[in-house]
Amino acid sequence: MDGQPAPEGVDPNVPNVARMYDYYLDGKNNFAADRAAADQILQLFPETKRSAKENRDFLARAVRHLVDQGVDQIVDLGSGLPTQGNTHESAPGARVVYVDYDPVVCAHGRALLADGTNVDILHGDVREPGKLLVDLADLIDFGRPVAFLMLAVLHFLPDAEAYPVVSALREASVPGSHLVISHAIDAKPDTTPEALQIYRRATASLSLRTKEQIGRFFDGYELVEPGLVFPKDWRPDQPPLVGDNASSIGYAGVGVLR
């Protein structure tokens, strides 16, 4: 993206968390400031790129599970920049709505997904769930089950916003609806303060939580087996390699509303 004019209202000199994530996934939709900040994170947490890939793979497996359960309406909140393995690619025939508050994400999404069938991009903010649900009502039938995806999103919201947002989504959902979450944890207390400082200079600060605190987001939902686990351990397509005991910098889970 270097050398291209930034969209109106976007400062390419401020690291953007969506574009940093794109860089972790070896994407090309990022500016120099994004790469510089991401490289600082990678120096502190070299496993971040691996974790981003594992998170993306979890997304694909979770979406396939949703389809198997007959869910044909999926809302990907804080979807980030389109890359390989997008939600609609794992849910052919389903109604998929990507939601992000970043105008760059929305602009790129509309351009890259213009030919997608039954796919929409909505410029919206999860921190305003009331307005978001009103806007989604034109695209989603809330009288039928819907799945809300919040992958690597909630750790960018403080408690005062994060828990009420998920509660509002649950209250708008009917039985059979699902919630899919992945969330970062404080994996390295010694270096975490430096990482938090880097994100404070970006477009969103980090609010890391414990496994128990992440589990609270599923209050009112029934956790699908195997429960809240490392993303790579949620129904993997292949058994883990012998001796692969690598930990993760986050947890992931899927809940169903009964």
Side-chain angles (χ1 to χ4, degrees):
M1 290 176 62
D2 295 316
Q4 300 180 26
E8 184 177 354
V10 173
D11 187 347
N13 299 309
V14 176
N16 176 283
V17 296
R19 296 194 301 266
M20 289 171 66
Y21 188 71
D22 175 72
Y23 180 69
Y24 298 145
L25 291 169
D26 296 323
K28 306 299 181 184
N29 296 308
N30 45 72
F31 292 114
D34 308 313
R35 296 191 291 274
D39 282 337
Q40 288 180 294
I41 292 294
L42 290 170
Q43 288 181 354
L44 299 171
F45 296 88
E47 63 272 48
T48 299
K49 278 198 171 188
R50 185 199 73 216
S51 294
K53 176 65 165 55
E54 290 173 353
N55 192 59
R56 201 71 184 177
D57 291 343
F58 162 69
L59 165 66
R61 297 195 303 275
V63 170
R64 291 201 301 268
H65 170 76
L66 298 175
V67 173
D68 289 343
Q69 298 304 303
V71 178
D72 62 359
Q73 299 185 111
I74 302 174
V75 180
D76 192 341
L77 297 163
S79 55
L81 290 156
T83 183
Q84 292 183 348
N86 294 297
T87 299
H88 71 281
E89 294 172 329
S90 297
R95 176 69 161 159
V96 177
V97 180
Y98 294 98
V99 180
D100 209 289
Y101 78 103
D102 186 332
V104 173
V105 167
C106 293
H108 277 269
R110 292 189 183 101
L112 294 174
L113 304 176
D115 296 331
T117 302
N118 228 13
V119 177
D120 275 293
I121 311 291
L122 178 64
H123 188 202
D125 195 331
V126 297
R127 295 170 296 185
E128 300 175 350
K131 182 179 185 306
L132 176 63
L133 288 168
V134 169
D135 292 342
L136 282 171
D138 292 331
L139 304 169
I140 294 293
D141 178 2
F142 284 105
R144 299 194 301 108
V146 58
F148 288 107
L149 313 187
M150 303 190 79
L151 276 74
V153 172
L154 289 167
H155 52 234
F156 290 116
L157 301 179
D159 287 355
E161 293 177 343
Y163 291 106
V165 163
V166 175
S167 178
L169 299 179
R170 182 182 65 246
E171 291 173 4
S173 302
V174 299
S177 296
H178 287 68
L179 176 69
V180 182
I181 287 176
S182 66
H183 194 297
I185 58 173
D186 187 356
K188 293 183 178 179
D190 291 342
T191 53
T192 293
E194 296 177 62
L196 294 178
Q197 188 60 38
I198 293 169
Y199 275 99
R200 287 192 191 101
R201 296 193 294 268
T203 53
S205 298
L206 278 175
S207 293
L208 301 177
R209 297 182 174 90
T210 65
K211 183 178 182 180
E212 180 181 3
Q213 291 169 326
I214 298 169
R216 281 178 52 200
F217 289 116
F218 290 101
D219 286 353
Y221 290 88
E222 177 183 312
L223 270 173
V224 173
E225 290 294 332
L228 192 59
V229 296
F230 294 154
K232 68 182 179 66
D233 294 331
W234 198 91
R235 303 192 178 193
D237 292 326
Q238 302 292 335
L241 297 175
V242 176
D244 180 12
N245 297 315
S247 61
S248 175
I249 57 176
Y251 283 97
V254 177
V256 59
L257 198 61
R258 298 300 188 186

